[in-house]
mmCIF file of all heavy atoms in Angstrom:
data_model
loop_
_atom_site.group_PDB
_atom_site.id
_atom_site.type_symbol
_atom_site.label_atom_id
_atom_site.label_comp_id
_atom_site.label_asym_id
_atom_site.label_seq_id
_atom_site.Cartn_x
_atom_site.Cartn_y
_atom_site.Cartn_z
ATOM 1 N N LEU A 1 -17.635 33.178 -6.936
ATOM 2 C CA LEU A 1 -16.641 32.448 -7.722
ATOM 3 C C LEU A 1 -16.039 31.319 -6.899
ATOM 4 O O LEU A 1 -15.890 30.185 -7.394
ATOM 5 C CB LEU A 1 -15.536 33.402 -8.186
ATOM 6 C CG LEU A 1 -14.332 32.738 -8.875
ATOM 7 C CD1 LEU A 1 -14.749 32.070 -10.184
ATOM 8 C CD2 LEU A 1 -13.222 33.764 -9.126
ATOM 9 N N TYR A 2 -15.698 31.577 -5.646
ATOM 10 C CA TYR A 2 -15.112 30.551 -4.772
ATOM 11 C C TYR A 2 -16.050 29.349 -4.635
ATOM 12 O O TYR A 2 -15.611 28.193 -4.712
ATOM 13 C CB TYR A 2 -14.828 31.128 -3.384
ATOM 14 C CG TYR A 2 -13.455 31.711 -3.212
ATOM 15 C CD1 TYR A 2 -13.036 32.812 -3.945
ATOM 16 C CD2 TYR A 2 -12.557 31.167 -2.300
ATOM 17 C CE1 TYR A 2 -11.771 33.353 -3.784
ATOM 18 C CE2 TYR A 2 -11.288 31.699 -2.120
ATOM 19 C CZ TYR A 2 -10.901 32.799 -2.868
ATOM 20 O OH TYR A 2 -9.652 33.324 -2.699
ATOM 21 N N GLY A 3 -17.337 29.625 -4.402
ATOM 22 C CA GLY A 3 -18.285 28.538 -4.222
ATOM 23 C C GLY A 3 -18.385 27.651 -5.453
ATOM 24 O O GLY A 3 -18.423 26.419 -5.338
ATOM 25 N N THR A 4 -18.394 28.269 -6.618
ATOM 26 C CA THR A 4 -18.488 27.482 -7.849
ATOM 27 C C THR A 4 -17.189 26.740 -8.135
ATOM 28 O O THR A 4 -17.203 25.591 -8.577
ATOM 29 C CB THR A 4 -18.858 28.392 -9.033
ATOM 30 O OG1 THR A 4 -20.153 28.963 -8.791
ATOM 31 C CG2 THR A 4 -18.903 27.607 -10.335
ATOM 32 N N LEU A 5 -16.041 27.370 -7.869
ATOM 33 C CA LEU A 5 -14.756 26.700 -8.088
ATOM 34 C C LEU A 5 -14.626 25.453 -7.227
ATOM 35 O O LEU A 5 -14.114 24.426 -7.680
ATOM 36 C CB LEU A 5 -13.602 27.656 -7.783
ATOM 37 C CG LEU A 5 -12.980 28.418 -8.945
ATOM 38 C CD1 LEU A 5 -11.884 29.334 -8.441
ATOM 39 C CD2 LEU A 5 -12.439 27.477 -10.013
ATOM 40 N N ARG A 6 -15.070 25.529 -5.983
ATOM 41 C CA ARG A 6 -15.016 24.362 -5.115
ATOM 42 C C ARG A 6 -15.859 23.236 -5.700
ATOM 43 O O ARG A 6 -15.454 22.074 -5.733
ATOM 44 C CB ARG A 6 -15.505 24.731 -3.711
ATOM 45 C CG ARG A 6 -15.720 23.566 -2.746
ATOM 46 C CD ARG A 6 -14.579 22.573 -2.691
ATOM 47 N NE ARG A 6 -13.285 23.186 -2.450
ATOM 48 C CZ ARG A 6 -12.151 22.514 -2.365
ATOM 49 N NH1 ARG A 6 -12.155 21.201 -2.500
ATOM 50 N NH2 ARG A 6 -11.010 23.140 -2.157
ATOM 51 N N ARG A 7 -17.064 23.580 -6.199
ATOM 52 C CA ARG A 7 -17.924 22.559 -6.800
ATOM 53 C C ARG A 7 -17.304 22.024 -8.091
ATOM 54 O O ARG A 7 -17.414 20.822 -8.379
ATOM 55 C CB ARG A 7 -19.307 23.144 -7.072
ATOM 56 C CG ARG A 7 -20.329 22.100 -7.499
ATOM 57 C CD ARG A 7 -20.543 21.097 -6.419
ATOM 58 N NE ARG A 7 -21.516 20.059 -6.786
ATOM 59 C CZ ARG A 7 -21.396 18.797 -6.451
ATOM 60 N NH1 ARG A 7 -20.361 18.375 -5.749
ATOM 61 N NH2 ARG A 7 -22.317 17.915 -6.790
ATOM 62 N N VAL A 8 -16.666 22.869 -8.865
ATOM 63 C CA VAL A 8 -15.997 22.423 -10.089
ATOM 64 C C VAL A 8 -14.940 21.371 -9.758
ATOM 65 O O VAL A 8 -14.840 20.327 -10.417
ATOM 66 C CB VAL A 8 -15.355 23.614 -10.827
ATOM 67 C CG1 VAL A 8 -14.385 23.137 -11.927
ATOM 68 C CG2 VAL A 8 -16.433 24.500 -11.444
ATOM 69 N N TYR A 9 -14.153 21.626 -8.708
ATOM 70 C CA TYR A 9 -13.116 20.668 -8.323
ATOM 71 C C TYR A 9 -13.739 19.351 -7.871
ATOM 72 O O TYR A 9 -13.295 18.272 -8.283
ATOM 73 C CB TYR A 9 -12.249 21.248 -7.206
ATOM 74 C CG TYR A 9 -11.197 20.284 -6.721
ATOM 75 C CD1 TYR A 9 -10.054 20.034 -7.463
ATOM 76 C CD2 TYR A 9 -11.362 19.601 -5.521
ATOM 77 C CE1 TYR A 9 -9.093 19.133 -7.023
ATOM 78 C CE2 TYR A 9 -10.411 18.699 -5.065
ATOM 79 C CZ TYR A 9 -9.275 18.471 -5.823
ATOM 80 O OH TYR A 9 -8.347 17.567 -5.402
ATOM 81 N N GLU A 10 -14.766 19.416 -7.038
ATOM 82 C CA GLU A 10 -15.423 18.194 -6.557
ATOM 83 C C GLU A 10 -15.956 17.364 -7.714
ATOM 84 O O GLU A 10 -15.853 16.122 -7.710
ATOM 85 C CB GLU A 10 -16.562 18.558 -5.602
ATOM 86 C CG GLU A 10 -16.099 19.153 -4.280
ATOM 87 C CD GLU A 10 -17.230 19.785 -3.501
ATOM 88 O OE1 GLU A 10 -18.297 20.063 -4.086
ATOM 89 O OE2 GLU A 10 -17.050 20.020 -2.302
ATOM 90 N N LEU A 11 -16.537 18.034 -8.702
ATOM 91 C CA LEU A 11 -17.095 17.313 -9.838
ATOM 92 C C LEU A 11 -16.007 16.792 -10.769
ATOM 93 O O LEU A 11 -16.123 15.689 -11.317
ATOM 94 C CB LEU A 11 -18.057 18.220 -10.613
ATOM 95 C CG LEU A 11 -19.362 18.569 -9.895
ATOM 96 C CD1 LEU A 11 -20.118 19.647 -10.641
ATOM 97 C CD2 LEU A 11 -20.244 17.322 -9.734
ATOM 98 N N THR A 12 -14.944 17.571 -10.938
ATOM 99 C CA THR A 12 -13.883 17.158 -11.856
ATOM 100 C C THR A 12 -13.215 15.874 -11.385
ATOM 101 O O THR A 12 -12.852 15.023 -12.214
ATOM 102 C CB THR A 12 -12.835 18.277 -12.000
ATOM 103 O OG1 THR A 12 -13.475 19.466 -12.495
ATOM 104 C CG2 THR A 12 -11.744 17.880 -12.985
ATOM 105 N N ILE A 13 -13.042 15.700 -10.077
ATOM 106 C CA ILE A 13 -12.374 14.493 -9.591
ATOM 107 C C ILE A 13 -13.332 13.316 -9.450
ATOM 108 O O ILE A 13 -12.906 12.215 -9.091
ATOM 109 C CB ILE A 13 -11.661 14.739 -8.241
ATOM 110 C CG1 ILE A 13 -12.641 15.163 -7.150
ATOM 111 C CG2 ILE A 13 -10.548 15.755 -8.396
ATOM 112 C CD1 ILE A 13 -12.000 15.345 -5.797
ATOM 113 N N SER A 14 -14.621 13.527 -9.748
ATOM 114 C CA SER A 14 -15.572 12.419 -9.646
ATOM 115 C C SER A 14 -16.294 12.123 -10.956
ATOM 116 O O SER A 14 -17.004 11.111 -11.050
ATOM 117 C CB SER A 14 -16.602 12.701 -8.546
ATOM 118 O OG SER A 14 -17.309 13.894 -8.788
ATOM 119 N N LEU A 15 -16.132 12.971 -11.978
ATOM 120 C CA LEU A 15 -16.822 12.785 -13.252
ATOM 121 C C LEU A 15 -15.830 12.738 -14.402
ATOM 122 O O LEU A 15 -14.794 13.402 -14.359
ATOM 123 C CB LEU A 15 -17.796 13.944 -13.511
ATOM 124 C CG LEU A 15 -19.002 14.082 -12.584
ATOM 125 C CD1 LEU A 15 -19.738 15.378 -12.918
ATOM 126 C CD2 LEU A 15 -19.946 12.908 -12.728
ATOM 127 N N PRO A 16 -16.180 12.074 -15.519
ATOM 128 C CA PRO A 16 -17.158 10.982 -15.553
ATOM 129 C C PRO A 16 -16.521 9.646 -15.206
ATOM 130 O O PRO A 16 -17.148 8.758 -14.673
ATOM 131 C CB PRO A 16 -17.637 10.987 -17.002
ATOM 132 C CG PRO A 16 -16.426 11.436 -17.762
ATOM 133 C CD PRO A 16 -15.682 12.396 -16.845
ATOM 134 N N ASP A 17 -15.202 9.518 -15.527
ATOM 135 C CA ASP A 17 -14.536 8.237 -15.276
ATOM 136 C C ASP A 17 -13.272 8.398 -14.434
ATOM 137 O O ASP A 17 -12.428 7.503 -14.411
ATOM 138 C CB ASP A 17 -14.179 7.545 -16.594
ATOM 139 C CG ASP A 17 -13.283 8.402 -17.474
ATOM 140 O OD1 ASP A 17 -13.057 9.579 -17.125
ATOM 141 O OD2 ASP A 17 -12.810 7.887 -18.503
ATOM 142 N N ALA A 18 -13.153 9.502 -13.712
ATOM 143 C CA ALA A 18 -11.970 9.715 -12.869
ATOM 144 C C ALA A 18 -11.820 8.615 -11.812
ATOM 145 O O ALA A 18 -10.703 8.128 -11.595
ATOM 146 C CB ALA A 18 -12.025 11.100 -12.216
ATOM 147 N N PRO A 19 -12.901 8.168 -11.143
ATOM 148 C CA PRO A 19 -12.723 7.076 -10.180
ATOM 149 C C PRO A 19 -12.222 5.793 -10.834
ATOM 150 O O PRO A 19 -11.418 5.066 -10.244
ATOM 151 C CB PRO A 19 -14.132 6.891 -9.598
ATOM 152 C CG PRO A 19 -14.815 8.196 -9.818
ATOM 153 C CD PRO A 19 -14.275 8.702 -11.117
ATOM 154 N N LEU A 20 -12.687 5.510 -12.047
ATOM 155 C CA LEU A 20 -12.231 4.310 -12.753
ATOM 156 C C LEU A 20 -10.745 4.385 -13.052
ATOM 157 O O LEU A 20 -10.010 3.402 -12.831
ATOM 158 C CB LEU A 20 -13.019 4.128 -14.053
ATOM 159 C CG LEU A 20 -12.566 2.974 -14.948
ATOM 160 C CD1 LEU A 20 -12.771 1.646 -14.245
ATOM 161 C CD2 LEU A 20 -13.313 3.008 -16.282
ATOM 162 N N ARG A 21 -10.270 5.524 -13.516
ATOM 163 C CA ARG A 21 -8.841 5.666 -13.820
ATOM 164 C C ARG A 21 -8.008 5.516 -12.545
ATOM 165 O O ARG A 21 -6.940 4.894 -12.559
ATOM 166 C CB ARG A 21 -8.574 7.025 -14.471
ATOM 167 C CG ARG A 21 -9.170 7.167 -15.870
ATOM 168 C CD ARG A 21 -8.583 8.358 -16.594
ATOM 169 N NE ARG A 21 -8.769 9.590 -15.843
ATOM 170 C CZ ARG A 21 -9.841 10.368 -15.937
ATOM 171 N NH1 ARG A 21 -10.834 10.033 -16.740
ATOM 172 N NH2 ARG A 21 -9.942 11.473 -15.228
ATOM 173 N N GLU A 22 -8.489 6.079 -11.443
ATOM 174 C CA GLU A 22 -7.781 5.943 -10.169
ATOM 175 C C GLU A 22 -7.722 4.478 -9.740
ATOM 176 O O GLU A 22 -6.676 3.988 -9.284
ATOM 177 C CB GLU A 22 -8.487 6.784 -9.105
ATOM 178 C CG GLU A 22 -7.813 6.761 -7.752
ATOM 179 C CD GLU A 22 -8.568 7.586 -6.715
ATOM 180 O OE1 GLU A 22 -9.574 8.233 -7.065
ATOM 181 O OE2 GLU A 22 -8.141 7.570 -5.544
ATOM 182 N N PHE A 23 -8.831 3.782 -9.888
ATOM 183 C CA PHE A 23 -8.901 2.366 -9.522
ATOM 184 C C PHE A 23 -7.948 1.533 -10.382
ATOM 185 O O PHE A 23 -7.184 0.710 -9.857
ATOM 186 C CB PHE A 23 -10.338 1.875 -9.697
ATOM 187 C CG PHE A 23 -10.513 0.393 -9.551
ATOM 188 C CD1 PHE A 23 -10.380 -0.223 -8.321
ATOM 189 C CD2 PHE A 23 -10.832 -0.390 -10.658
ATOM 190 C CE1 PHE A 23 -10.550 -1.596 -8.185
ATOM 191 C CE2 PHE A 23 -10.998 -1.756 -10.531
ATOM 192 C CZ PHE A 23 -10.866 -2.361 -9.292
ATOM 193 N N GLU A 24 -7.979 1.738 -11.678
ATOM 194 C CA GLU A 24 -7.132 0.963 -12.577
ATOM 195 C C GLU A 24 -5.653 1.175 -12.276
ATOM 196 O O GLU A 24 -4.850 0.239 -12.349
ATOM 197 C CB GLU A 24 -7.449 1.310 -14.030
ATOM 198 C CG GLU A 24 -8.816 0.813 -14.476
ATOM 199 C CD GLU A 24 -9.194 1.263 -15.875
ATOM 200 O OE1 GLU A 24 -8.637 2.287 -16.355
ATOM 201 O OE2 GLU A 24 -10.051 0.610 -16.499
ATOM 202 N N ALA A 25 -5.297 2.401 -11.919
ATOM 203 C CA ALA A 25 -3.893 2.683 -11.594
ATOM 204 C C ALA A 25 -3.477 1.963 -10.305
ATOM 205 O O ALA A 25 -2.357 1.456 -10.207
ATOM 206 C CB ALA A 25 -3.683 4.184 -11.455
ATOM 207 N N LYS A 26 -4.380 1.899 -9.345
ATOM 208 C CA LYS A 26 -4.035 1.304 -8.050
ATOM 209 C C LYS A 26 -3.986 -0.224 -8.086
ATOM 210 O O LYS A 26 -3.254 -0.841 -7.300
ATOM 211 C CB LYS A 26 -5.028 1.762 -6.980
ATOM 212 C CG LYS A 26 -4.827 3.199 -6.541
ATOM 213 C CD LYS A 26 -5.683 3.538 -5.335
ATOM 214 C CE LYS A 26 -5.364 4.935 -4.812
ATOM 215 N NZ LYS A 26 -6.155 5.271 -3.605
ATOM 216 N N VAL A 27 -4.760 -0.835 -8.965
ATOM 217 C CA VAL A 27 -4.829 -2.303 -8.958
ATOM 218 C C VAL A 27 -4.122 -2.927 -10.152
ATOM 219 O O VAL A 27 -4.157 -4.156 -10.314
ATOM 220 C CB VAL A 27 -6.300 -2.781 -8.932
ATOM 221 C CG1 VAL A 27 -7.030 -2.182 -7.737
ATOM 222 C CG2 VAL A 27 -7.024 -2.445 -10.228
ATOM 223 N N ALA A 28 -3.453 -2.119 -10.961
ATOM 224 C CA ALA A 28 -2.853 -2.631 -12.205
ATOM 225 C C ALA A 28 -1.922 -3.808 -11.963
ATOM 226 O O ALA A 28 -1.883 -4.758 -12.756
ATOM 227 C CB ALA A 28 -2.116 -1.501 -12.916
ATOM 228 N N ASP A 29 -1.163 -3.776 -10.890
ATOM 229 C CA ASP A 29 -0.168 -4.827 -10.637
ATOM 230 C C ASP A 29 -0.587 -5.807 -9.542
ATOM 231 O O ASP A 29 0.232 -6.614 -9.093
ATOM 232 C CB ASP A 29 1.172 -4.182 -10.260
ATOM 233 C CG ASP A 29 1.717 -3.295 -11.371
ATOM 234 O OD1 ASP A 29 1.550 -3.660 -12.540
ATOM 235 O OD2 ASP A 29 2.291 -2.233 -11.055
ATOM 236 N N LEU A 30 -1.826 -5.732 -9.112
ATOM 237 C CA LEU A 30 -2.268 -6.620 -8.038
ATOM 238 C C LEU A 30 -2.796 -7.941 -8.606
ATOM 239 O O LEU A 30 -3.520 -7.956 -9.605
ATOM 240 C CB LEU A 30 -3.368 -5.951 -7.216
ATOM 241 C CG LEU A 30 -2.968 -4.709 -6.412
ATOM 242 C CD1 LEU A 30 -4.160 -4.201 -5.615
ATOM 243 C CD2 LEU A 30 -1.797 -5.010 -5.482
ATOM 244 N N PRO A 31 -2.460 -9.060 -7.976
ATOM 245 C CA PRO A 31 -2.971 -10.360 -8.432
ATOM 246 C C PRO A 31 -4.454 -10.507 -8.102
ATOM 247 O O PRO A 31 -4.963 -9.901 -7.161
ATOM 248 C CB PRO A 31 -2.125 -11.353 -7.639
ATOM 249 C CG PRO A 31 -1.745 -10.614 -6.393
ATOM 250 C CD PRO A 31 -1.563 -9.181 -6.812
ATOM 251 N N ARG A 32 -5.145 -11.330 -8.898
ATOM 252 C CA ARG A 32 -6.572 -11.573 -8.657
ATOM 253 C C ARG A 32 -6.878 -13.060 -8.790
ATOM 254 O O ARG A 32 -7.959 -13.443 -9.233
ATOM 255 C CB ARG A 32 -7.429 -10.771 -9.644
ATOM 256 C CG ARG A 32 -7.110 -9.294 -9.697
ATOM 257 C CD ARG A 32 -8.094 -8.527 -10.530
ATOM 258 N NE ARG A 32 -7.607 -7.188 -10.864
ATOM 259 C CZ ARG A 32 -8.352 -6.245 -11.397
ATOM 260 N NH1 ARG A 32 -9.609 -6.486 -11.690
ATOM 261 N NH2 ARG A 32 -7.841 -5.058 -11.673
ATOM 262 N N THR A 33 -5.932 -13.883 -8.403
ATOM 263 C CA THR A 33 -6.072 -15.325 -8.582
ATOM 264 C C THR A 33 -6.980 -15.937 -7.534
ATOM 265 O O THR A 33 -7.882 -16.719 -7.840
ATOM 266 C CB THR A 33 -4.692 -16.008 -8.536
ATOM 267 O OG1 THR A 33 -3.844 -15.411 -9.517
ATOM 268 C CG2 THR A 33 -4.831 -17.502 -8.818
ATOM 269 N N THR A 34 -6.751 -15.585 -6.282
ATOM 270 C CA THR A 34 -7.522 -16.187 -5.193
ATOM 271 C C THR A 34 -8.691 -15.283 -4.805
ATOM 272 O O THR A 34 -8.744 -14.102 -5.162
ATOM 273 C CB THR A 34 -6.638 -16.412 -3.963
ATOM 274 O OG1 THR A 34 -6.273 -15.134 -3.415
ATOM 275 C CG2 THR A 34 -5.379 -17.184 -4.335
ATOM 276 N N GLU A 35 -9.605 -15.861 -4.045
ATOM 277 C CA GLU A 35 -10.753 -15.091 -3.572
ATOM 278 C C GLU A 35 -10.302 -13.944 -2.671
ATOM 279 O O GLU A 35 -10.851 -12.833 -2.739
ATOM 280 C CB GLU A 35 -11.713 -16.005 -2.819
ATOM 281 C CG GLU A 35 -12.976 -15.311 -2.318
ATOM 282 C CD GLU A 35 -13.848 -14.787 -3.454
ATOM 283 O OE1 GLU A 35 -13.703 -15.262 -4.601
ATOM 284 O OE2 GLU A 35 -14.669 -13.892 -3.187
ATOM 285 N N VAL A 36 -9.314 -14.181 -1.837
ATOM 286 C CA VAL A 36 -8.799 -13.136 -0.951
ATOM 287 C C VAL A 36 -8.219 -11.989 -1.776
ATOM 288 O O VAL A 36 -8.459 -10.812 -1.471
ATOM 289 C CB VAL A 36 -7.728 -13.708 0.001
ATOM 290 C CG1 VAL A 36 -7.036 -12.576 0.764
ATOM 291 C CG2 VAL A 36 -8.350 -14.687 0.969
ATOM 292 N N GLU A 37 -7.470 -12.317 -2.821
ATOM 293 C CA GLU A 37 -6.883 -11.277 -3.674
ATOM 294 C C GLU A 37 -7.967 -10.485 -4.383
ATOM 295 O O GLU A 37 -7.877 -9.255 -4.498
ATOM 296 C CB GLU A 37 -5.930 -11.923 -4.693
ATOM 297 C CG GLU A 37 -4.657 -12.479 -4.057
ATOM 298 C CD GLU A 37 -3.868 -13.353 -5.002
ATOM 299 O OE1 GLU A 37 -4.413 -13.759 -6.065
ATOM 300 O OE2 GLU A 37 -2.692 -13.650 -4.692
ATOM 301 N N ARG A 38 -9.004 -11.154 -4.843
ATOM 302 C CA ARG A 38 -10.104 -10.447 -5.514
ATOM 303 C C ARG A 38 -10.850 -9.547 -4.537
ATOM 304 O O ARG A 38 -11.295 -8.451 -4.900
ATOM 305 C CB ARG A 38 -11.058 -11.456 -6.165
ATOM 306 C CG ARG A 38 -10.466 -12.135 -7.398
ATOM 307 C CD ARG A 38 -11.525 -12.914 -8.153
ATOM 308 N NE ARG A 38 -11.933 -14.102 -7.432
ATOM 309 C CZ ARG A 38 -11.351 -15.299 -7.549
ATOM 310 N NH1 ARG A 38 -10.318 -15.444 -8.367
ATOM 311 N NH2 ARG A 38 -11.795 -16.338 -6.873
ATOM 312 N N LEU A 39 -10.977 -9.977 -3.306
ATOM 313 C CA LEU A 39 -11.638 -9.154 -2.290
ATOM 314 C C LEU A 39 -10.820 -7.899 -1.967
ATOM 315 O O LEU A 39 -11.388 -6.832 -1.708
ATOM 316 C CB LEU A 39 -11.879 -9.963 -1.021
ATOM 317 C CG LEU A 39 -12.997 -11.006 -1.094
ATOM 318 C CD1 LEU A 39 -13.031 -11.853 0.170
ATOM 319 C CD2 LEU A 39 -14.351 -10.333 -1.327
ATOM 320 N N VAL A 40 -9.493 -8.032 -2.002
ATOM 321 C CA VAL A 40 -8.627 -6.864 -1.778
ATOM 322 C C VAL A 40 -8.860 -5.836 -2.883
ATOM 323 O O VAL A 40 -9.008 -4.634 -2.622
ATOM 324 C CB VAL A 40 -7.147 -7.287 -1.730
ATOM 325 C CG1 VAL A 40 -6.238 -6.058 -1.785
ATOM 326 C CG2 VAL A 40 -6.863 -8.091 -0.469
#
């Protein structure tokens, strides 16, 4: 059970769009006007 629960957690935080939601939350208020800002 422990082995499967660990895998469940790893998959839950990476599937299917969890990384996208994390990214959108982190960059929501960041400017993207200049090339440097877009690179950030």
Side-chain angles (χ1 to χ4, degrees):
L1 173 64
Y2 269 64
T4 297
L5 264 179
R6 171 48 52 180
R7 189 62 180 142
V8 167
Y9 177 76
E10 292 167 343
L11 291 170
T12 301
I13 61 177
S14 58
L15 294 174
D17 58 353
L20 175 64
R21 292 195 303 272
E22 182 181 356
F23 171 70
E24 290 175 337
K26 286 189 174 182
V27 304
D29 299 323
L30 294 182
R32 308 188 195 191
T33 304
T34 68
E35 182 64 20
V36 171
E37 290 168 346
R38 288 191 289 271
L39 287 173
V40 168

